[in-house]
Amino acid sequence: PNRPMRGVIGILTPRDQEEKPWIKNITSRLLERKIDFRIVDPFDPFDPSDDARLQGLSFLVNRVSDCGSGNIELAKLTHSLLLAAELSQLRVLNGSSAYGVGQAKLCHHSLLRSCSLATPKSLVVTSPSQVLEAARRLTPPLLLKPNMAGFGEGIRAFPTVDSIRAALIQ
């Protein structure tokens, strides 16, 4: 429903990410429009029985991207905070379900297929030693996406399996 925005918008992101472009873009636009907001850091201390980080917010925007960071604590705190916000009836953008889907490419493929959308054949490998065998099971050209940083960072294209072999040797 279209309800006017009253109160403060929370931007869920660790404070050390405030200067990143994806946070600066949001905060600069909110400032231009004179919309009140505050950063909600999942690492800030809190009382689980009365989370003051959520008090006074009319809306929470999740901008945490810990994909592939290996920071299990950030993932757990973020998911818990999103769930707490939803359970307290706070409106949330990129809530716990979206955050969960964003954690794994397997979930991306499942979601797209559930909407009758085609996805490229993909294989998940858990170590560099598995890359060549997986590449042989696919049809080139191939994209290799390491589990790191999100936003497509680190994707490399390879025209052949031999080109992947050469890259692994380097």
Side-chain angles (χ1 to χ4, degrees):
N2 276 338
R3 293 183 281 179
M5 191 60 63
R6 292 190 181 98
V8 178
I9 295 175
I11 309 295
L12 181 59
T13 189
R15 286 199 203 299
D16 66 358
Q17 299 290 305
E18 283 184 84
E19 297 303 315
K20 299 288 185 180
W22 55 90
I23 302 301
K24 291 298 278 184
N25 187 29
I26 292 171
T27 58
S28 65
R29 289 176 187 221
L30 292 172
L31 287 169
E32 287 170 11
R33 291 168 175 80
K34 297 180 175 42
I35 297 173
D36 289 332
F37 71 92
R38 73 171 183 256
I39 299 297
V40 177
D41 188 332
F43 289 112
D44 283 349
F46 65 98
D47 174 355
S49 66
D50 181 29
D51 197 341
R53 296 174 299 179
L54 301 177
Q55 291 178 0
L57 297 180
S58 58
F59 193 71
L60 182 64
V61 178
N62 174 23
R63 288 304 298 146
V64 173
S65 176
D66 62 334
C67 299
S69 70
N71 191 335
I72 302 298
E73 184 181 14
L74 176 59
K76 289 169 77 174
L77 288 169
T78 298
H79 191 259
S80 296
L81 187 59
L82 290 169
L83 207 48
E86 292 164 351
L87 290 170
S88 70
Q89 303 299 306
L90 181 61
R91 292 186 295 168
V92 179
L93 179 65
N94 295 329
S96 61
S97 293
Y99 186 73
V101 168
Q103 295 295 307
K105 292 293 177 254
L106 176 61
C107 292
H108 297 172
H109 285 273
S110 296
L111 178 62
L112 290 169
R113 284 193 311 273
S114 75
C115 297
S116 299
L117 297 170
T119 62
K121 181 161 175 142
S122 302
L123 295 172
V124 175
V125 297
T126 57
S127 74
S129 65
Q130 298 172 325
V131 171
L132 274 179
E133 179 56 36
R136 287 186 193 103
R137 295 172 50 195
L138 299 170
T139 304
L142 304 169
L143 295 176
L144 185 63
K145 166 67 173 98
N147 188 20
M148 59 180 256
F151 300 104
E153 191 169 319
I155 294 176
R156 289 186 54 196
F158 295 92
T160 65
V161 173
D162 286 338
S163 62
I164 290 179
R165 181 182 297 112
L168 288 172
I169 292 171
Q170 294 176 356

